[in-house]
Amino acid sequence: MSLLEVDTVTRRYGAGETAVEALSNVSLSVSTGETVAVIGPSGSGKSTLLNLVGLLDTPTEGTIHLDDRDLTDAGTGERTAVRRDRLGFVFQDHHLLPMFDAVDNVVVPTMWDRSTDREQRARELLDRVGLGDRLDHRPSELSGGQKQRVAIARALVNDPDLLLADEPTGNLDQDTSRTILDELDRLQAEEDVATVVVTHDEIVTEYADRTVELLDGGHV
């Protein structure tokens, strides 16, 4: 069985004649170590799909499984635990905390986990993405590409099984985008983590094992 199974998922907002169907009968499977790019124009349902996979929203119809665990109707506590323990998130706008340095920003998702030395893990990841000399730098002291590298390290700090990236190159120039994607591709292989990337950037599809295209909430 695949690591992630999204089966005929529909997400509808509202009811009756005013209901909006943001996603319609979409299925997606992702295996461990695989990278899947989800592409499509604005309003195609990409972000809705990512929110459902990331357990930030619930489907109106259909099911979502991680391994053989049905998370479709999971409660708030279970969803929070799965996001904390098994998912990593990379956002277009980094969402770094301005008062924290690079190490502390990477540690944030695990700050309540005392079982292992997450600060050492953060330092190692930052070194692996080429920021070993920027550990004590705050976001205001980093370039856009460097901030995105911090965001990638943060997404991997909890050893996730599944990495979710929302337009990770959206604010970067082409050369920086390729550098970031090279780093993400290398780390993803080393960490043996599955990745789902939602993007408008055609460059991203070059790094994906498969590409899924959405249009008007459904498969093309």
Side-chain angles (χ1 to χ4, degrees):
M1 184 176 180
S2 300
L3 172 68
L4 172 70
E5 287 284 352
V6 177
D7 186 17
T8 55
V9 159
T10 292
R11 183 61 172 104
R12 194 176 299 112
Y13 298 96
E17 295 182 359
T18 61
V20 175
E21 198 162 87
L23 210 62
S24 179
N25 295 316
V26 169
S27 296
L28 175 69
S29 64
V30 184
S31 300
T32 299
E34 185 180 27
T35 298
V36 176
V38 180
I39 64 172
S42 297
S44 62
K46 301 188 308 298
S47 294
T48 299
L49 177 61
L50 199 69
N51 285 339
L52 292 172
V53 171
L55 305 180
L56 300 171
D57 196 5
T58 56
T60 307
E61 300 168 11
T63 60
I64 297 175
H65 286 78
L66 192 61
D67 287 333
D68 58 353
R69 182 176 176 183
D70 189 346
L71 297 171
T72 310
D73 298 315
T76 301
E78 185 178 7
R79 286 170 174 271
T80 299
V82 172
R83 286 197 300 269
R84 180 191 65 220
D85 298 335
R86 305 199 61 186
L87 304 181
F89 295 86
V90 181
F91 304 99
Q92 176 179 347
D93 295 319
H94 322 302
H95 295 307
L96 302 181
L97 298 175
M99 73 291 294
F100 284 1
D101 63 24
V103 172
D104 287 339
N105 263 290
V106 172
V107 169
V108 164
T110 63
M111 59 173 41
W112 289 281
D113 180 6
R114 306 298 182 188
S115 61
T116 55
D117 185 357
R118 292 300 185 180
E119 183 170 321
Q120 181 58 34
R121 164 83 168 158
R123 292 175 178 273
E124 290 172 357
L125 284 168
L126 286 167
D127 186 59
R128 287 164 63 186
V129 297
L131 294 178
D133 60 344
R134 297 287 190 273
L135 301 180
D136 60 351
H137 285 53
R138 295 184 180 184
S140 61
E141 301 171 301
L142 301 173
S143 68
Q146 289 171 334
K147 291 176 186 176
Q148 196 62 297
R149 292 183 188 206
V150 174
I152 291 170
R154 180 184 59 193
L156 293 170
V157 72
N158 64 338
D159 300 301
D161 299 302
L162 178 62
L163 189 66
L164 304 175
D166 186 6
E167 299 284 2
T169 61
N171 292 329
L172 305 175
D173 61 66
Q174 189 171 97
D175 288 342
T176 305
S177 292
R178 288 194 178 277
T179 299
I180 292 299
L181 290 168
D182 285 337
E183 294 288 354
L184 185 58
D185 189 54
R186 178 178 60 82
L187 282 169
Q188 182 247 346
E190 290 175 358
E191 299 282 325
D192 197 27
V193 58
T195 306
V196 176
V197 185
V198 163
T199 185
H200 286 94
D201 190 349
E202 291 293 332
I203 294 175
V204 176
T205 64
E206 299 174 20
Y207 292 79
D209 298 301
R210 286 189 294 118
T211 299
V212 174
E213 187 172 0
L214 298 181
L215 182 65
D216 296 331
H219 291 290
V220 172

